């Protein structure tokens, strides 16, 4: 496995694979790798000839400067995890390599996919940062398949729309959320969730489970299901920033809960903001 820092090194390293028409799988990350990232790398390893991992804490997608500042950076351990997962090439550029002249270009998706939920609460600039860096990374790596976690369900939809609108010849593959044994969705930000907050963090999964249980109990009215979930979270002393039941493709709020509906939640827990989601079945 090689670690490269520049676009030209990456292109050189991928030239033989491209000449041989090998399939290239790509896993974009911000590092601080955990078992969720490992699931992405492992699926890429199973499905593709060559696996590229990127590690780049993209400043343009952070709406909160403190969040960017304290975002965990663990490159040495990340490189070891990538090696274990069978990654062929790690692309770990410095910001200067990705934005040599600063933020001089932006790739913007417009519309409800970027305006709602995370876009409404973090600001749609968050997704503009995501689409810009993903477009750049797709042009740099030129993968056949790119792997994204379902934990960031809205991001999967945004990136899928990006690929469709800009005609990138890339297939987007969503990978199921990996959780801690007690149900907490793995996240790089979980390192900042400690002590009492670690228990409070279970509120998000409890809210999602409650939505399913309320639905299983026969309730179909979205507002009633949401109210029960918010109450379940309150018993952990957590107040969601939003808890919504939406169409899993358009993200439009649903009035009636049906199988396939997406339950999405975001909540502050101690010093961080966590998100999670589940599909009603
Ligand atoms: P990040 O490094 O947080 O930007 O995440 C990089 C990729 O890993 C994104 O596609 C995330 O959705 C995905 N990811 C993060 N956490 C998990 C998780 N718990 N399970 C599955 N995928 C995840």
């Amino acid at each position: 496995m090689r670690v490269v820092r520049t676009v030209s090194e990456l292109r050189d390293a991928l030239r033989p694979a491209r000449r041989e028409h090998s399939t290239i799988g790509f896993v974009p990350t911000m590092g601080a790798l955990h078992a969720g990232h490992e699931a992405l790398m492992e699926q890429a390893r199973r499905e593709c000839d060559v696996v590229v991992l990127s590690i780049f804490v993209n400043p343009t997608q952070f709406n909160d400067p403190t969040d960017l500042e304290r975002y965990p950076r663990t490159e040495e351990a990340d490189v070891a995890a990538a090696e274990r997962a069978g990654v062929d090439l790690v692309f770990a550029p410095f910001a200067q390599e990705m934005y040599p002249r600063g933020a001089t270009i932006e790739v913007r998706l417009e519309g409800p996919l970027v305006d709602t939920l995370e876009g409404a609460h973090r600001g749609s600039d968050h997704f503009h940062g995501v689409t810009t860096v993903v477009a750049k990374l797709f042009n740099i790596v030129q993968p056949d398949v790119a792997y994204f976690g379902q934990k960031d369900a809205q991001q999967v939809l945004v990136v899928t729309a990006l690929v469709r609108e800009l005609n990138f010849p890339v297939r987007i593959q969503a990978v199921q959320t990996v959780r801690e044994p007690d149900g907490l969705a793995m996240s790089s930000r979980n390192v900042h969730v400690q002590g009492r907050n670690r228990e409070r963090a279970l509120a998000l999964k409890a809210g999602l489970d409650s939505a399913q249980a309320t639905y299983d109990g026969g309730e179909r009215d979205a507002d009633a299901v949401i109210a029960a979930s918010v109450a379940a979270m309150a018993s952990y002393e957590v107040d969601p920033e939003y808890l919504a039941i939406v169409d899993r493709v358009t993200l439009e709020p649903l009035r009636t809960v049906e199988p396939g509906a997406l339950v999405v939640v975001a909540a502050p827990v101690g010093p961080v903001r966590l998100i999670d989601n589940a599909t009603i079945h």
Side-chain angles (χ1 to χ4, degrees), residues 27-37 39-40 61 71 147-152 155-156 175-179 185-189:
V27 181
T29 78
M30 301 204 295
L33 301 185
H34 51 64
H37 300 111
L40 271 61
Q61 74 189 70
Y71 199 84
Y147 295 83
F148 287 85
Q150 183 62 24
K151 191 207 152 225
D152 300 283
Q155 177 169 271
V156 172
V175 178
Q176 259 197 352
T177 302
V178 177
R179 298 177 181 281
M186 298 253 182
S187 163
S188 303
R189 292 183 176 89

Side-chain angles (χ1 to χ4, degrees), residues 160-179:
T160 301
L162 171 76
V163 160
R164 186 182 61 232
E165 297 302 322
L166 282 181
N167 308 95
F168 278 109
V170 180
R171 180 166 71 79
I172 301 303
Q173 178 67 51
V175 178
Q176 259 197 352
T177 302
V178 177
R179 298 177 181 281

Side-chain angles (χ1 to χ4, degrees), residues 118-170:
E118 288 298 284
H121 290 265
R122 298 183 68 175
S124 46
D125 277 352
H126 162 64
F127 284 119
H128 298 150
V130 169
T131 47
T132 301
V133 80
V134 170
K136 285 174 69 75
L137 289 168
F138 282 0
N139 280 327
I140 292 165
V141 178
Q142 301 184 8
D144 297 285
V145 191
Y147 295 83
F148 287 85
Q150 183 62 24
K151 191 207 152 225
D152 300 283
Q154 188 172 7
Q155 177 169 271
V156 172
L157 294 172
V158 165
V159 170
T160 301
L162 171 76
V163 160
R164 186 182 61 232
E165 297 302 322
L166 282 181
N167 308 95
F168 278 109
V170 180

